[in-house]
Amino acid sequence: MSTVLIVVALIVVIVVAVAAVLYGTGKGGGRAGLKRRFGPEYERAVNRHHGDAKAAENELTERVRRHGDLSPRPLPAEARDQYVAHWAGLQERFVDSPRQAVVEADKLIARLASDRGFPDADEHSQHIDALSVHHAHQVDGYRRVHHAASEAGQDASTEELREAMVQARQLFERLVLDSKEDSPRHRPGIPGRSAALRPKGSGV
C-alpha cells in the first residue's frame, strides 16, 4: 500500500512540474520564451554569468517583471522632427569631431528614451535593462555608444566610434519611429538610414 502511495505521489509531482513548464512557456517564460524575446541579450547575459544559463534566465525574468508592463509614450510630431534633425547634425559633425559626436549621441538617445517613458539615464543599469526588455535587438549599440562616450572608452579608435554610432542609430530609429499614434505616411525619414557613417574625409 505504501508503495502505491509513493508511486501516486511521484506521478502527481511529475504532472505538476510538467504543467508548470507548459504554463511558463505559454506565458512567454521558460528558456525558449526568453531566447525568443531577448535574442542577443540572452547570449550576452549567459556570457556575463560565465555560461550559467539559469542565472542569466533569472536575471532576464527579473527584467521582464520590473519593466515588461512599461508602455512607451508617443512623441509629438514636432519633437520627432527635432530629434531626427539633431541626429542628422551629429552624423555630419562626426566627420570632424567623432568623439564629441559620440558623446552627444549618447546624451541624445538617453533624453529620447526618457521622453518615451523609459527610466532616466541617471540610473543607467535600470535604463538599459528597461530598454533591453522592449528593444532587445537594438540596445547593445546604445550600450557601445555609452561606453565609448565614457572615460573607459577614451582610447577607442575612430573606426570603433563609427561602428558604435552606426549600431546606436538602430535604437534611435526605433525610439523615434515606434509609436502607436504614428501614421507611416507622417513618419519622418532619417537621413542616412541606409548608409553607414564613413571615416573622416569621406563624408557621411
Side-chain angles (χ1 to χ4, degrees):
M1 188 68 177
S2 60
T3 302
V4 174
L5 290 176
I6 293 173
V7 170
V8 171
L10 288 174
I11 291 174
V12 170
V13 169
I14 292 171
V15 169
V16 170
V18 170
V21 170
L22 292 176
Y23 177 79
T25 302
K27 298 286 286 184
R31 178 165 299 181
L34 288 170
K35 281 186 175 181
R36 186 165 54 249
R37 178 165 195 161
F38 282 96
E41 280 293 295
Y42 179 91
E43 298 303 329
R44 187 178 186 279
V46 171
N47 290 336
R48 188 170 61 255
H49 286 280
H50 308 290
D52 187 340
K54 184 63 176 177
E57 289 160 11
N58 288 341
E59 177 191 328
L60 296 176
T61 299
E62 177 62 15
R63 289 192 206 179
V64 174
R65 187 192 68 78
R66 284 187 281 115
H67 306 295
D69 292 336
L70 186 153
S71 181
R73 295 190 296 258
L75 284 175
E78 182 179 357
R80 292 200 309 270
D81 291 344
Q82 290 174 351
Y83 274 114
V84 169
H86 196 163
W87 186 270
L90 291 180
Q91 290 191 154
E92 294 178 0
R93 197 173 309 162
F94 183 90
V95 175
D96 296 315
S97 304
R99 174 159 297 283
Q100 186 59 35
V102 165
V103 170
E104 292 187 29
D106 177 45
K107 295 177 181 178
L108 183 66
I109 295 176
R111 187 164 70 249
L112 172 57
S114 179
D115 283 352
R116 291 301 309 275
F118 289 92
D120 289 339
D122 292 341
E123 292 289 338
H124 192 69
S125 61
Q126 296 291 323
H127 182 63
I128 289 290
D129 283 356
L131 285 166
S132 74
V133 170
H134 296 269
H135 299 288
H137 291 267
Q138 294 82 30
V139 72
D140 196 54
Y142 174 38
R143 189 184 282 119
R144 290 186 63 181
V145 151
H146 184 73
H147 176 79
S150 68
E151 291 185 7
Q154 290 296 312
D155 295 331
S157 67
T158 299
E159 178 60 18
E160 289 171 335
L161 295 175
R162 183 193 69 81
E163 291 177 358
M165 279 284 286
V166 169
Q167 292 189 19
R169 187 173 60 196
Q170 297 176 20
L171 178 61
F172 174 82
E173 291 177 0
R174 290 295 298 271
L175 290 172
V176 163
L177 299 180
D178 282 2
S179 173
K180 293 181 180 179
E181 295 185 2
D182 288 345
S183 168
R185 64 182 178 178
H186 293 133
R187 290 181 177 182
I190 297 181
R193 287 185 68 183
S194 60
L197 293 170
R198 296 180 177 84
K200 183 175 180 179
S202 60
V204 179

